[in-house]
Amino acid sequence: MRWNAIPITCRKFFRVTLDPIDCLPIAMFHPQTTHIAIIGAGPAGAATALALSTHAPELRISLIEASDYRQMRFGETLHPAARLLLQRLQLWDAFLAENHAPSHGIISIWGQDAPTHNDFFTSLLGLGFHLDRCRFDAWMMTVAEQRGVRIMRQNRLTGAMRTDTGWRLQLIDADNRRIALDADFVVDAGGRRAPFARLVGARRVLYDRLIGAFLLFEDKQDTAIDSRTLIEASADGWWYGARLPGGRIAAACMTDVDITRRLSLAHRGAWLTAAMQAQHLSRWLGGAQPTGTPILCPAQAGRLDVCTGWHWLAVGDAAVSFDPLSGQGLVQALRGGISAAYAIADSLMQQPAASVRYAAGIDAEVCAFLSARDHYYALEQRWPDQHFWRRRQQRVELSPQQLLQAAPEADSHPASLLYLSQAQRRRVLDLCLRQRTAHEIVHNLCVETKLPARHWLLVLQYLIKIGALILMPHPRSLSDFPSANLIK
Ligand SMILES: Cc1cc2nc3c(=O)[nH]c(=O)nc-3n(C[C@H](O)[C@H](O)[C@H](O)COP(=O)(O)OP(=O)(O)OC[C@H]3O[C@@H](n4cnc5c(N)ncnc54)[C@H](O)[C@@H]3O)c2cc1C
């Protein structure tokens, strides 16, 4: 039987049914129970569980992880700022004992041919680390277990239904058995796929189409001696290389999905040919030998349109994922887990402002990220005509006095969720039901969302390009209205 096929009269226990999901009736009537169900035991989920187990030890917490941590995980450079967070979670000494490889800094070739060096040696926070991500993630989960968190290994969330007091989750274990779990509160820490939030209707807004094509190298003779992470811009994107523990190296081309296809980066030969563009990386790799074939890893910057809701919130990449150029993903996941723990404990004590504060924190992070990202990509001006860079350095060409109006039936336009959520798109189109100037629209949106004016100007340009907004006649000239005033 499918959950959405249960007759209305039998649904008295449930107020809302969501995605159609297979479910055996037995699972519905013998549920296990928990106070907090955390979906996903990556860094964000484990940090949430660990922080909650200290902050609210009376709560029963279940940490649910789909994988067995055997499949390669990327995102290995741990910024020195993580130290404070690991100390806060009382993990620092145990983390050091795990012997991950130290990272002494970052070499970047960005905006110029000569490398610049950011040595962690000069940082008050100390060294960073190159992690074996599978080992790190599995270790955090094990520590959570030692601190009393119930671990549900190799259990995948496949369904969710709202109950009177929280959520009934459907999980499938490694033997394909269905389990029902009743939780008062659900945390989506399931990474970019945001498995719970999407089941309950949240949608992901993308800010780009970045993807990483990774190739692993072996460096048995330790020829690539530099332990610093290398980042090198090239015509089609940017490359990076990082040493992993155990004499391995991860090297990747970060570019857009269509460029990955054009360059055939999924094939080893083509990957190695393309890597010749990155001369510093090629030298840095020294005599290291490539192994296997490239692995493609989605890396889009994006966020959920709604990251908190009735008895749930999202944390880590599920809530917001940054461009890996920022090197902040793991720090953000750990910090997010700690903030989420406070927000959850307060929400359960009937303090509705807690989740509003938590969501505002995420909005502020997104805002800061978008501004920083524009800044960094604008620093690289060597390939202004290449697609990858043009997309990230789009110029604002819209006159502030340009009159705009929503196209007839603009709402039904099959626009993807690039740049903005459904609700935001609806809001822009509502604002444009009557003719307004670009300035007026952008001003309203900036006040409402706190996102930078440049972001909204690019959104308007995008909506014009796809035909959802129409340019109305008689704009005054751009020179009358310096657009610099509009761009933060
Ligand atoms: C190419 C690339 C390179 C990166 N490099 C860096 C870097 O060098 N430094 C850095 O700090 N950050 C980096 N990042 C970002 C960093 O990897 C992420 O920000 C970080 O992993 C987020 O942690 P998380 O716990 O939120 O999500 P994840 O690490 O994705 O963990 C999510 C967990 O949820 C589990 N899960 C998923 N679906 C389900 C389900 N249905 N049921 C149960 N469990 C489920 C998954 O198995 C996983 O264990 C990089 C990201 C990419 C894409």
Side-chain angles (χ1 to χ4, degrees):
M1 181 186 282
R2 295 171 89 84
W3 280 17
N4 74 336
I6 300 166
I8 293 288
T9 46
C10 301
R11 288 189 191 165
K12 60 181 187 303
F13 190 59
F14 309 114
R15 280 195 252 147
V16 177
T17 51
L18 299 157
D19 266 17
I21 293 145
D22 287 329
C23 175
L24 292 175
I26 187 114
M28 294 172 57
F29 298 114
H30 297 283
Q32 303 177 20
T33 60
T34 188
H35 290 128
I36 316 288
I38 302 174
I39 312 299
T48 309
L50 286 161
L52 261 177
S53 67
T54 312
H55 184 58
E58 68 285 0
L59 294 177
R60 259 180 298 129
I61 305 162
S62 301
L63 185 53
I64 298 144
E65 170 57 40
S67 76
D68 57 6
Y69 298 105
R70 286 210 197 123
Q71 208 182 358
M72 181 78 196
R73 292 182 175 213
F74 294 103
E76 61 301 301
T77 305
L78 188 65
H79 190 273
R83 175 187 182 143
L84 300 175
L85 301 163
L86 291 171
Q87 284 172 337
R88 179 84 173 268
L89 293 167
Q90 297 164 33
L91 288 174
W92 180 242
D93 292 335
F95 168 74
L96 288 180
E98 286 286 299
N99 275 327
H100 291 279
S103 161
H104 293 96
I106 299 169
I107 309 170
S108 52
I109 299 94
W110 195 271
Q112 56 182 19
D113 295 333
T116 52
H117 303 269
N118 171 12
D119 286 327
F120 295 152
F121 176 62
T122 56
S123 148
L124 289 176
L125 294 165
L127 294 182
F129 290 87
H130 291 308
L131 306 175
D132 175 335
R133 269 297 298 274
C134 289
R135 185 154 63 80
F136 177 75
D137 290 9
W139 167 77
M140 280 195 73
M141 185 182 75
T142 307
V143 178
E145 188 169 32
Q146 287 159 0
R147 295 194 192 165
V149 173
R150 177 190 178 202
I151 306 293
M152 300 179 76
R153 290 181 173 78
Q154 289 183 263
N155 272 268
R156 173 175 299 280
L157 173 80
T158 55
M161 291 169 131
R162 185 167 154 173
T163 67
D164 286 337
T165 53
W167 294 93
R168 176 164 293 183
L169 305 178
Q170 179 177 267
L171 312 175
I172 294 194
D173 72 11
D175 298 323
N176 248 351
R177 282 185 305 238
R178 293 173 169 85
I179 298 162
L181 178 67
D182 279 357
D184 297 337
F185 200 99
V186 178
V187 178
D188 189 337
R192 286 157 189 263
R193 273 185 249 148
F196 176 83
R198 281 158 68 140
L199 278 175
V200 301
R203 299 196 59 190
R204 207 163 136 74
V205 179
L206 297 179
Y207 296 116
D208 57 46
R209 304 249 188 252
L210 196 69
I211 190 167
F214 279 83
L215 191 58
L216 292 175
F217 288 74
E218 274 189 4
D219 184 31
K220 291 265 186 293
Q221 279 109 43
D222 245 15
T223 45
I225 41 168
D226 202 323
S227 75
R228 292 172 294 180
T229 300
L230 185 121
I231 293 175
E232 180 171 4
S234 74
D236 288 312
W238 52 274
W239 294 76
Y240 96 101
R243 274 179 90 68
L244 303 177
R248 287 183 312 155
I249 293 171
C253 177
M254 307 299 301
T255 186
D256 289 330
V257 176
D258 56 336
I259 301 174
T260 307
R261 271 192 228 114
R262 173 165 58 78
L263 298 177
S264 304
L265 290 176
H267 301 283
R268 182 156 124 178
W271 191 101
L272 291 168
T273 307
M276 285 191 239
Q277 284 184 16
Q279 293 172 5
H280 291 268
L281 180 87
S282 303
R283 271 201 300 278
W284 179 88
L285 283 168
Q289 291 303 309
T291 60
T293 48
I295 304 168
L296 299 181
C297 180
Q300 309 98 326
R303 61 162 300 170
L304 282 180
D305 56 353
V306 183
C307 58
T308 62
W310 190 82
H311 288 223
W312 71 271
L313 61 74
V315 67
D317 273 14
V320 50
S321 56
F322 297 141
D323 186 324
L325 183 63
S326 73
Q328 293 290 317
L330 290 166
V331 166
Q332 186 257 347
L334 297 173
R335 193 174 46 222
I338 295 170
S339 314
Y342 287 109
I344 295 162
D346 289 352
S347 297
L348 291 177
M349 288 164 69
Q350 311 300 329
Q351 293 183 23
S355 68
V356 176
R357 266 199 312 272
Y358 177 79
I362 289 181
D363 289 346
E365 274 182 9
V366 172
C367 192
F369 160 71
L370 288 175
S371 299
R373 187 186 67 150
D374 283 349
H375 172 74
Y376 279 102
Y377 278 108
L379 292 177
E380 178 51 89
Q381 291 294 334
R382 286 177 291 172
W383 302 281
D385 297 329
Q386 293 290 335
H387 283 305
F388 180 85
W389 297 102
R390 256 207 343 244
R391 286 169 185 157
R392 284 155 181 83
Q393 295 164 353
Q394 284 180 69
R395 287 221 305 273
V396 171
E397 284 157 352
L398 189 62
S399 158
Q401 288 306 307
Q402 172 66 58
L403 283 170
L404 297 170
Q405 189 163 17
E409 299 185 21
D411 207 19
S412 60
H413 200 285
S416 69
L417 282 184
L418 196 61
Y419 299 128
L420 71 174
S421 66
Q422 292 282 20
Q424 286 171 336
R425 184 157 69 117
R426 183 65 264 143
R427 177 69 188 127
V428 177
L429 295 179
D430 278 352
L431 273 172
C432 300
L433 281 177
R434 69 170 175 78
Q435 292 185 20
R436 285 180 199 270
T437 62
H439 172 84
E440 196 185 344
I441 301 163
V442 168
H443 175 75
N444 274 293
L445 294 167
C446 286
V447 170
E448 285 170 24
T449 64
K450 311 279 184 287
L451 287 173
R454 179 180 152 78
H455 170 79
W456 286 117
L457 284 160
L458 293 176
V459 164
L460 294 188
Q461 288 183 180
Y462 170 69
L463 291 174
I464 293 164
K465 191 170 147 206
I466 64 170
L469 286 182
I470 301 174
L471 296 174
M472 302 309 286
H474 309 306
R476 289 165 67 177
S477 86
L478 177 60
S479 55
D480 293 344
F481 300 93
S483 56
N485 293 340
L486 270 176
I487 303 168
K488 274 191 193 164

